[in-house]
């Protein structure tokens, strides 16, 4: 999955890179039901939540893979 997406190129687990650290994403959304929303962002991209640098989409990632990745990001501690 990591090879199919740009997620590891732009994010790191515990420090900001191009995008926010996965720990920060998990912390921001803790206790919220946002896995589907994050999975959609993995596939389509987005901008504005974490600043003005746009997150490119990953259309090559399947729906199931995007959901799996979103669930993992939300589980990072």
């Amino acid at each position: 999955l990591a090879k199919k997406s740009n997620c590891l190129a732009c994010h790191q687990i515990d420090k900001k890179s191009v995008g926010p650290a996965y720990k920060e994403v998990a912390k921001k959304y803790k206790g919220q039901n946002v896995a589907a929303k994050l999975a959609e962002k993995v596939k389509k991209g987005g901008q504005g939540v974490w600043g003005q640098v746009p997150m490119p989409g990953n259309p090559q990632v399947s729906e199931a893979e995007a959901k799996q990745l979103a669930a993992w990001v939300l589980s990072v501690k």
Side-chain angles (χ1 to χ4, degrees):
L1 180 58
K3 291 181 181 180
K4 288 181 78 174
S5 74
N6 298 319
C7 297
L8 296 176
C10 296
H11 299 275
Q12 295 184 28
I13 290 178
D14 58 0
K15 64 181 179 179
K16 181 178 176 7
S17 183
V18 175
Y22 289 130
K23 284 184 175 185
E24 289 299 313
V25 175
K27 182 179 174 183
K28 178 179 182 130
Y29 295 115
K30 184 177 182 179
Q32 299 179 43
N33 187 13
V34 296
K37 176 182 168 181
L38 291 182
E40 184 175 342
K41 283 199 175 224
V42 168
K43 288 196 60 71
K44 295 182 179 178
Q47 182 177 1
V49 176
W50 297 92
Q52 293 307 307
V53 177
M55 180 177 128
N58 294 278
Q60 72 281 11
V61 173
S62 73
E63 182 98 14
E65 291 168 331
K67 287 179 180 179
Q68 180 183 15
L69 185 56
W72 177 81
V73 169
L74 292 170
S75 76
V76 174
K77 294 184 176 132

